[in-house]
Structure formats: structure tokens, C-alpha cells
Amino acid sequence: MTFEQLRIFLAVAERLHVTQAASHLNLTQSAVSASIAQLESQHGVRLFDRIGRRIELTEAGRLFAAEARALLERVAQTRRTLDELGEEVRGQLRIHASQTVASYWLAPRLLELRTRHPALEIALTVANTALVSSAVAEGTADIGFVEGAVRQNDLMQRVVARDELHLVVGRDHPWAARTMVDPADYASQAWVLREPGSGTRAEFETHAASAGVAMESLRILLELPSNEAVLSAVATGLAASVLSRRAVASALAAGEVRSIPVDHPARPFTVLTHPERHRTRAVETLLTIVAA
């Protein structure tokens, strides 16, 4: 059994599609199929059921996937340890960040890190706040960046920037000419919001609760997984939303939407690390850059 066989098996197991796995691995479909067949033949076990054009993991396949994933993670950790022994900051830095932070704040800082250390590979995953904090807690991310605080008490949290919420509407929306909106009026209009689990959604829910507005009283037409999708929907003038000031800036400058400040404390951008896991020099360097 080779590490390459494990890597190919996991790619197929995660996608349940040989062609997609082959594309992801930059291999031919026949090479991927041959690797899986050889692994099954070598050990006398069926890892996948072939059902028509579909494939499914067998029970043995599900058990083996967990072992293979843990082994490859251990190999990756060993490689990172060896990279740490050299003088240059190298290896891979696994970063998870929530969408607003990743899109409007983090990128220039990652560019500075990469410029300083060209041998370092940066792997950025964008997800909502809940998924980012889980990744840091589980060790699948070396460092995380989120909007606001998180519930995992076992993580170290440090505020590195702040941002404000703005109520956003299209140019033809009834609130477009207003300079402020009383939360008591929120139930009178339709809304398009970020999905539950995102930092922006959590902050809006906190704002609404502090103003005595029940989320159940709002007419929420859509819940969307990206700031850009929300802005596109809001620009129609059919609904309102609340987003980060940074996320709204470009659409506001282009005249596509109107922005109204929200009476809510500035929310923090927070960096997450795990107190019991080793901090690589890459992590330490990035922490220095974001704290500057």
C-alpha cells in the first residue's frame, strides 16, 4: 500500500465520482480506477459498490476512509515538522477564514506573508464562522479568522480588526432615501440575509434581539451563502439586508445600492488558534503581520 493509493482512494471516497476525483488529482480516469482496483485486490476487500453509473462506499470503505484520512493527516504533520527544522519558513499553512474577512481584509496580509516567504504554500479555505471555528478546533486548520466571537471555549481568540454593519437596500427601495431606519420598522419590509452560521447573520440576530425585534417577525425571502449574492438580490429593490461595511463598499461606490448605518457596536475580526497545538513559524509570522 502506498500513500498515493490512499490519496486516490480518499479523493474518490469524498466525491463518490471517479472522473471528478481524477480531475482533482490531475490523473486519468483509468489510472484512478486501476489504483482502486489494485488496492481492493491486494487486500481482498471491496471498498466501493458499483451501482449503475454511481458508486457508493461499502461499510469497509467507510471504515477505511477514516483510517486513511488520519494516516495522511499524520504524514502531512510529519512533513510540516521537517519543514520547521529548516531555516526558511516553508511547508503548507492551512488557513480557514469566514467570507467577509477573507474577501475584504485578509488577502493583502496573505500576500505580504507569501512575498516574505516564497517557499511557503498557503492553502485558504473560505467558510462561514461556525465551520472555521470547528476546523481550528479539530486541527484541520492551523489558524482561523472569523467575524465576531465563537462559542468554542477551548480556542484562543484575539481581535485583529473591527468592522461595522450597514443596512443595505436597492436604489428603488422605500428606505433608499433614509439616513436611518428604526428597528421597529424592520417587519414592514422583506429581507435577504446571509445563511445561519455566518458571522454577519449572527451579528444581525444579536442586533435585532437587542432592539426587541424577533427574527420570526421578519419576512425573510432568501438566505444566501455569499455577500455578493445578497448584494445582487438587494440591488433589485425588493428586499433589505444587513452586511459588513467592507462588503458593501464597491457596490455602494458603483451606485448599485444605498447604505444606512446600523446602531450596533462595531464587530471584531478575530483570529483563532488552538492552545494545545504547536504553532509553526508560518503561523507565528502571520500573527505578527495581522497584529501590525
Side-chain angles (χ1 to χ4, degrees):
M1 183 187 302
T2 66
F3 290 132
E4 182 66 5
Q5 284 179 309
L6 295 182
R7 191 168 72 95
I8 291 172
F9 164 72
L10 278 180
V12 177
E14 289 169 356
R15 293 164 180 80
L16 294 178
H17 198 289
V18 173
T19 302
Q20 291 178 9
S23 177
H24 172 74
L25 296 169
N26 198 26
L27 296 172
T28 65
Q29 182 175 340
S30 60
V32 170
S33 296
S35 177
I36 296 296
Q38 184 181 25
L39 192 59
E40 291 180 322
S41 175
Q42 283 174 334
H43 301 279
V45 63
R46 181 186 289 272
L47 300 172
F48 296 96
D49 282 328
R50 283 76 175 175
I51 304 173
R53 295 185 177 182
R54 297 185 296 111
I55 60 173
E56 295 179 357
L57 279 168
T58 63
E59 180 63 21
R62 284 190 288 272
L63 293 172
F64 182 58
E67 292 292 334
R69 190 173 292 110
L71 180 56
L72 288 182
E73 173 56 32
R74 181 58 182 159
V75 171
Q77 180 58 51
T78 301
R79 184 179 294 115
R80 288 193 292 271
T81 300
L82 283 174
D83 289 334
E84 283 291 292
L85 298 177
E87 294 183 359
E88 174 60 84
V89 176
R90 61 176 68 246
Q92 184 185 67
L93 177 61
R94 302 167 304 168
I95 305 167
H96 282 50
S98 58
Q99 186 181 128
T100 300
V101 178
S103 301
Y104 308 104
W105 181 82
L106 185 59
R109 290 150 180 90
L110 295 185
L111 183 60
E112 180 180 348
L113 176 65
R114 188 70 166 75
T115 302
R116 286 191 194 181
H117 305 288
L120 178 66
E121 178 188 349
I122 297 174
L124 174 63
T125 298
V126 180
N128 65 37
T129 294
L131 294 176
V132 171
S133 56
S134 293
V136 177
E138 295 166 3
T140 54
D142 301 311
I143 188 170
F145 293 89
V146 298
E147 305 143 42
V150 299
R151 296 178 180 177
Q152 276 92 337
N153 295 326
D154 56 338
L155 298 180
M156 294 185 66
Q157 305 182 36
R158 184 199 306 177
V159 175
V160 290
R162 294 189 181 278
D163 190 32
E164 299 84 39
L165 290 180
H166 277 224
L167 194 154
V168 190
V169 296
R171 293 175 297 179
D172 299 326
H173 192 275
W175 291 345
R178 293 195 185 186
T179 57
M180 66 164 290
V181 175
D182 190 322
D185 294 338
Y186 285 178
S188 69
Q189 298 295 324
W191 291 82
V192 174
L193 298 176
R194 284 291 308 277
E195 81 285 7
S198 71
T200 299
R201 176 63 175 267
E203 286 294 312
F204 177 60
E205 290 177 352
T206 299
H207 161 69
S210 66
V213 177
M215 293 298 295
E216 295 77 13
S217 71
L218 302 183
R219 185 158 54 98
I220 302 174
L221 300 182
L222 292 172
E223 294 174 328
L224 299 173
S226 76
N227 296 326
E228 290 74 16
V230 171
L231 282 169
S232 178
V234 166
T236 64
L238 299 176
S241 188
V242 168
L243 292 171
S244 157
R245 173 182 58 83
R246 299 172 191 264
V248 172
S250 294
L252 188 62
E256 298 169 354
V257 297
R258 299 289 185 264
S259 173
I260 306 166
V262 172
D263 185 15
H264 185 70
R267 63 173 176 171
F269 285 176
T270 306
V271 58
L272 307 176
T273 54
H274 199 292
E276 298 177 0
R277 290 194 170 91
H278 172 65
R279 286 188 189 178
T280 65
R281 282 188 290 170
V283 169
E284 293 289 0
T285 303
L286 181 56
L287 288 172
T288 301
I289 290 173
V290 300

